[in-house]
């Protein structure tokens, strides 16, 4: 009788931890969606006005992250959506890889230098700080949930922060030393990391 009561108590604590993790995850995804709407709109408009390939591309990446946030919000509210969300999140990483490859390639061919845009730089600066913090919050949630879909979403959140860093660093470095290609070296490193994360995302989605 005592053993049964003990097991029931442990199960109750695990359910409470899971419920708290889900609530935290939902808050994180709602914050992601809200910010990505703002970030995508401002970065795309700022990039087009400044004729900046990098800032415009950063805005398009934010749109991909927005879709990922919506997918994860659905999964957190309905655990039965995990398998489908894991596959969708993995394919969103594929889209992100293609986006980085294509925009990076176009930038190299055109020798596109990062152009200054106050709005674009402000949005990028916020993302450099906010995205790693948001990813850290999602990692804590996933320590409890162990969701393949959320793991892929975390990779996309980190990629958004990394791209924001590339935009900022590219403008600053090019302004100081006039090395136009430096941001594309960083982009290539990002692409290599994303390919690794995408491969793992599909493996986890298959196991989910």
């Amino acid at each position: 009788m005592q053993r049964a009561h003990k097991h029931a108590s442990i199960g109750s604590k695990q359910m409470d931890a899971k419920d708290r993790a889900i609530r935290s995850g939902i808050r994180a995804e709602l914050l992601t969606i809200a910010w990505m709407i703002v970030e995508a709109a401002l970065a795309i408009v700022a990039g087009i006005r400044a004729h900046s390939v990098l800032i415009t591309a950063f805005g398009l990446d934010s749109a991909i992250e927005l879709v990922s946030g919506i997918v994860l919000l659905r999964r957190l509210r309905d655990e039965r959506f995990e398998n489908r969300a894991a596959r969708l999140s993995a394919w969103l990483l594929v889209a992100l890889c293609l986006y980085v490859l294509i925009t990076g390639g176009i930038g190299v061919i055109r020798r596109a230098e990062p152009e200054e845009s106050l709005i674009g730089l402000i949005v990028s600066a916020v993302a450099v700080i906010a995205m790693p913090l948001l990813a850290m919050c999602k990692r804590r949630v996933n320590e409890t949930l162990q969701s393949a879909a959320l793991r892929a979403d975390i990779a996309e959140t980190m990629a958004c922060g990394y791209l924001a860093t590339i935009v900022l660093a590219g403008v600053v470095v090019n302004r100081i030393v006039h090395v136009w290609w430096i941001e594309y070296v960083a982009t290539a490193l990002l692409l290599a990391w994303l390919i690794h994360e995408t491969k793992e995302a599909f493996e986890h989605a298959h196991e989910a």
Side-chain angles (χ1 to χ4, degrees):
M1 186 73 178
Q2 289 181 344
R3 184 177 296 179
H5 179 72
K6 182 178 180 181
H7 284 310
S9 177
I10 292 172
S12 177
K13 288 180 180 178
Q14 289 175 339
M15 287 300 297
D16 288 344
K18 186 176 180 180
D19 288 343
R20 287 195 298 272
I22 288 173
R23 288 195 295 271
S24 295
I26 288 174
R27 287 195 295 270
E29 294 303 335
L30 286 172
L31 184 59
T32 298
I33 291 168
W35 171 246
M36 288 305 155
I37 290 172
V38 174
E39 184 177 276
L42 291 178
I44 290 172
V45 170
I48 291 172
R49 286 184 176 179
H51 305 289
S52 171
V53 173
L54 282 175
I55 295 176
T56 305
F58 173 60
L60 294 174
D61 164 69
S62 302
I64 293 174
E65 174 68 10
L66 170 62
V67 175
S68 179
I70 293 170
V71 169
L72 259 295
L73 186 61
R74 169 71 187 279
R75 181 263 176 256
L76 289 168
R77 287 175 169 169
D78 185 355
E79 193 171 349
R80 293 171 298 178
F81 194 63
E82 167 65 24
N83 291 348
R84 192 181 303 176
R87 290 193 295 272
L88 285 172
S89 295
W91 280 108
L92 283 171
L93 278 175
V94 171
L96 188 53
C97 286
L98 290 174
Y99 142 78
V100 171
L101 177 64
I102 292 170
T103 54
I106 291 173
V108 170
I109 292 169
R110 293 180 55 188
R111 290 176 62 101
E113 299 183 16
E115 300 176 39
E116 292 185 36
S117 164
L118 181 58
I119 294 176
L121 292 177
I122 290 173
V123 171
S124 300
V126 173
V128 167
I129 299 170
M131 292 302 102
L133 293 175
L134 197 54
M136 190 184 304
C137 175
K138 292 179 183 181
R139 282 198 190 98
R140 283 199 296 267
V141 169
N142 212 31
E143 286 175 3
T144 300
L145 299 183
Q146 294 296 305
S147 166
L150 184 52
R151 187 184 186 283
D153 181 64
I154 292 167
E156 287 158 17
T157 301
M158 286 302 300
C160 182
Y162 191 81
L163 281 166
T165 303
I166 291 174
V167 172
L168 283 175
V171 171
V172 172
V173 171
N174 192 51
R175 187 180 181 88
I176 295 172
V177 297
H178 304 290
V179 181
W180 68 271
W181 46 263
I182 193 70
E183 67 270 18
Y184 297 107
V185 173
T187 300
L189 294 175
L190 169 64
L191 180 60
W193 176 74
L194 277 174
I195 290 172
H196 171 74
E197 290 294 317
T198 302
K199 180 182 176 183
E200 290 203 351
F202 274 104
E203 289 174 354
H204 286 289
H206 181 70
E207 294 169 359

